[in-house]
Amino acid sequence: MTTLEGTGRLSGARPGLLDRERIIAAAGYNRWLVPPAALCIHLCIGMAYGFSVFWLPLSRAVGLSAPQVCSDMTIFQELVTTTCDWRVASMGWMYTLFFVLLGASAAIWGGWLERAGPRKAGFVSAICWSGGLVLGAIGIYTHQLWLLWLGSGVIGGIGLGLGYISPVSTLVKWFPDRRGMATGMAIMGFGGGAMIGAPLANMLMNYFKTPTDVGVWQTFLVMGLIYFVFMTIGAFAYRITPPNWRPEGWTPPAKANTMITEHHVHLKDAHKTKQFWLIWTVLCLNVSAGIGVIGMASPMLQEIFAGKLIGLPDLSFNQLSAEQKTMIAGIAAGFAGLLSLFNIVGRFFWASLSDHIGRKNTYYVFFLLGILLYALAPTLAAMGSKVLFVVAFGIILSMYGGGFATVPAYLADIFGTQFVGAIHGRLLTAWATAGIIGPVVVNYIREAQIAAGVPRAQVYDFTMYILAGMLVVGLICNALVKPLADKWFMKPADVAALQAKGAAASSGGGSYGIGKGGLDARTAAFWAFVGIPLAWGMWVTLQNALRIF
């Protein structure tokens, strides 16, 4: 007689193509196939960082040679107008939609992801992100801003959240010996997505543009198709560990680390602990400081160094001609690209380092070094040293990315691995909050300084001290993170009840014939599949960045 299982499916029935039970790894599987699967998804959704490449072409989609400006147009009229071009500031709201929806969807559906598994979540992410681009293309073709917001912003933002957290729990369980490195490899892809997507979008827009069309809607359609293929490949390549799996020959360190628990906290209890909110604040403040710099990187370099960027050290920003300002704008774009490269490399470097020095100590480095560099930034600017200034902010952005990549492992250390993906999803509301705090602090203080008559080269000095102060608060919160009390941990019987059903679940665990893995032909091919586009994006970025010097 058949019975109903907890999954809602009749026992004995074959699992569906997207079901979690369908993707449990078998003997002989290579765990190094999981990180490139995650990269397939993260490199696609990471294009969210590069969407500004579309703003200028779209700002003249009607006027073509120049924007068709309607100065008295309200934002509500702009949503439905077909005769006036959209303002760049209005399109910029896409970033708010992206990161607010990313945090919200990760928090709302994180628990579902743990039950459904990474394949189903990754495939739904592919549908939302790519489908959002298609709907956005229709909005551009019909010149309806509300449809662009709904498609790419809202639906695409939901895809961002699901895609971002889809590999976290899986990778942590596959690499208990290298948690930081594993999540760093995947989340590195989110930082690198714009390095591939932005130049690709430029190439496609140049290919599709005509005297009567700027070529953006066609670019959205093509990129939506490319992303759907890549993300689907990644989703279907996911495999999860058998219950209680551990790498062959690996055992937890004999000397217990009090900051790494062997127990598990239920999703419904994680947010009730002060540790959750301390780590939430740690991430929020680290990201707020970094995201504020990212948003103003280009104007900051232009206003601080001005004529020095083009061999005219005596000219301030306001003394430059329109042609000279155009020249330094191009150089500053290279600076923004270089910061993106530091952001990507930092995600892998710092997360991997955290496996050796610990997650809490890694965040100590972020805050102590960040406080020093932010406080020194005005001095470096006054010295007129482009090299020291760029290096300082490169390190700052590496720690910004490193904070994202290290926090999943930090959560796994404190709360256990059973619900780490869902807990991470809820923690990402800190990112949504930081996406508002960071730009507001930097932008409004800059405007206030300019209004007060402060020279352009010095308008960021006070901002840097404010950001350093924010990191001091983050440093204190990180110091307060302690191991959880026993009352928060689930009982072993409750954990076992949540594990996969069947004979394997009743065993004591082990390697199940799955070793530590290595670089066999299949794995090398999969890594090349994601590595070649990433290497191309890095090469393009470096070529543009060298113009700074």
Side-chain angles (χ1 to χ4, degrees):
M1 182 176 180
T2 58
T3 59
L4 290 176
E5 299 286 354
T7 58
R9 189 180 57 251
L10 290 175
S11 66
R14 179 175 173 78
L17 189 62
L18 298 177
D19 286 341
R20 182 185 183 89
E21 294 79 8
R22 186 72 172 264
I23 59 173
I24 298 174
Y29 182 72
N30 189 338
R31 65 174 177 168
W32 288 95
L33 289 168
V34 181
L39 281 168
C40 278
I41 292 179
H42 273 234
L43 286 172
C44 294
I45 62 176
M47 179 54 188
Y49 273 134
F51 250 64
S52 59
V53 73
F54 299 119
W55 298 162
L56 288 180
L58 284 176
S59 70
R60 49 182 173 79
V62 175
L64 298 175
S65 59
Q68 181 66 43
V69 179
C70 299
S71 57
D72 58 345
M73 180 173 56
T74 68
I75 185 62
F76 298 104
Q77 293 170 328
E78 190 174 12
L79 290 173
V80 296
T81 182
T82 58
T83 56
C84 302
D85 273 313
W86 301 328
R87 290 170 289 211
V88 171
S90 299
M91 290 182 284
W93 277 98
M94 288 285 290
Y95 282 112
T96 302
L97 290 172
F98 278 153
F99 297 118
V100 168
L101 266 296
L102 186 155
S105 60
I108 292 169
W109 288 297
W112 167 80
L113 184 151
E114 292 288 355
R115 298 188 301 273
R119 174 181 286 185
K120 184 175 290 186
F123 187 64
V124 173
S125 171
I127 293 172
C128 291
W129 179 242
S130 302
L133 285 172
V134 172
L135 194 57
I138 297 172
I140 294 168
Y141 182 78
T142 58
H143 202 69
Q144 294 293 293
L145 182 59
W146 69 270
L147 199 51
L148 176 64
W149 281 6
L150 174 63
S152 296
V154 176
I155 297 174
I158 292 171
L160 283 178
L162 292 174
Y164 191 86
I165 64 173
S166 65
V168 170
S169 179
T170 302
L171 283 166
V172 165
K173 291 171 184 174
W174 271 119
F175 292 87
D177 49 338
R178 301 180 183 182
R179 287 177 178 174
M181 181 209 68
T183 55
M185 281 189 292
I187 292 176
M188 174 183 72
F190 192 81
M195 285 202 316
I196 301 171
L200 175 62
N202 270 323
M203 292 169 55
L204 290 170
M205 286 189 291
N206 288 330
Y207 176 79
F208 287 118
K209 72 179 180 182
T210 67
T212 59
D213 196 310
V214 293
V216 179
W217 71 265
Q218 301 95 324
T219 299
F220 267 49
L221 286 179
V222 172
M223 294 185 75
L225 176 61
I226 293 172
Y227 286 158
F228 182 76
V229 171
F230 266 77
M231 293 175 73
T232 300
I233 289 172
F236 277 79
Y238 278 142
R239 294 292 183 274
I240 61 174
T241 62
N244 304 312
W245 178 86
R246 58 180 178 268
E248 188 170 349
W250 178 84
T251 55
K255 182 179 179 181
N257 185 334
T258 57
M259 291 301 296
I260 302 178
T261 184
E262 295 180 359
H263 306 291
H264 306 277
V265 177
H266 199 284
L267 175 63
K268 64 182 176 62
D269 293 324
H271 68 281
K272 299 175 184 176
T273 67
K274 68 178 182 180
Q275 283 85 345
F276 176 88
W277 293 108
L278 286 170
I279 298 175
W280 189 98
T281 306
V282 162
L283 181 66
C284 182
L285 292 173
N286 186 60
V287 172
S288 293
I291 209 168
V293 170
I294 288 176
M296 294 301 291
S298 177
M300 182 170 64
L301 190 77
Q302 295 177 62
E303 291 174 333
I304 290 175
F305 291 98
K308 295 184 181 71
L309 295 172
I310 52 175
L312 300 170
D314 296 328
L315 294 183
S316 67
F317 182 80
N318 289 331
Q319 292 173 321
L320 296 174
S321 67
E323 182 180 354
Q324 289 168 334
K325 286 181 179 179
T326 301
M327 292 172 62
I328 68 169
I331 295 171
F335 176 56
L338 189 60
L339 292 184
S340 296
L341 186 56
F342 274 98
N343 177 8
I344 296 160
V345 174
R347 291 172 185 242
F348 179 72
F349 172 77
W350 291 111
S352 298
L353 182 64
S354 76
D355 287 329
H356 301 284
I357 68 173
R359 256 59 79 171
K360 188 173 182 177
N361 288 335
T362 302
Y363 270 95
Y364 274 138
V365 174
F366 292 162
F367 290 123
L368 291 170
L369 187 54
I371 291 166
L372 175 65
L373 292 175
Y374 276 118
L376 280 177
T379 302
L380 298 178
M383 290 169 55
S385 174
K386 292 182 291 184
V387 173
L388 290 177
F389 187 85
V390 169
V391 169
F393 277 93
I395 294 172
I396 285 171
L397 263 295
S398 79
M399 295 186 296
Y400 163 81
F404 280 121
T406 305
V407 82
Y410 203 171
L411 293 172
D413 290 351
I414 299 295
F415 297 98
T417 60
Q418 185 64 41
F419 288 97
V420 66
I423 295 171
H424 181 232
R426 290 187 176 179
L427 193 85
L428 288 181
T429 53
W431 187 358
T433 305
I436 298 171
I437 294 174
V440 165
V441 168
V442 174
N443 295 345
Y444 280 92
I445 292 178
R446 173 182 176 273
E447 291 179 7
Q449 295 287 85
I450 292 174
V454 176
R456 288 293 183 107
Q458 298 169 21
V459 296
Y460 297 96
D461 291 5
F462 186 61
T463 303
M464 295 301 125
Y465 298 134
I466 293 293
L467 296 179
M470 291 168 60
L471 294 187
V472 171
V473 178
L475 177 68
I476 295 170
C477 290
N478 187 57
L480 293 174
V481 176
K482 306 293 183 183
L484 285 167
D486 290 342
K487 68 177 183 177
W488 294 111
F489 295 119
M490 300 170 62
K491 296 178 180 178
D494 295 331
V495 176
L498 291 171
Q499 299 277 342
K501 304 294 189 293
S506 63
S507 73
S511 68
Y512 296 90
I514 303 171
K516 289 188 176 181
L519 197 64
D520 54 30
R522 180 187 176 194
T523 308
F526 201 5
W527 274 100
F529 181 69
V530 296
I532 291 173
L534 183 57
W536 174 76
M538 288 184 173
W539 172 247
V540 172
T541 299
L542 281 173
Q543 284 184 310
N544 292 330
L546 289 175
R547 298 170 62 193
I548 302 173
F549 309 106

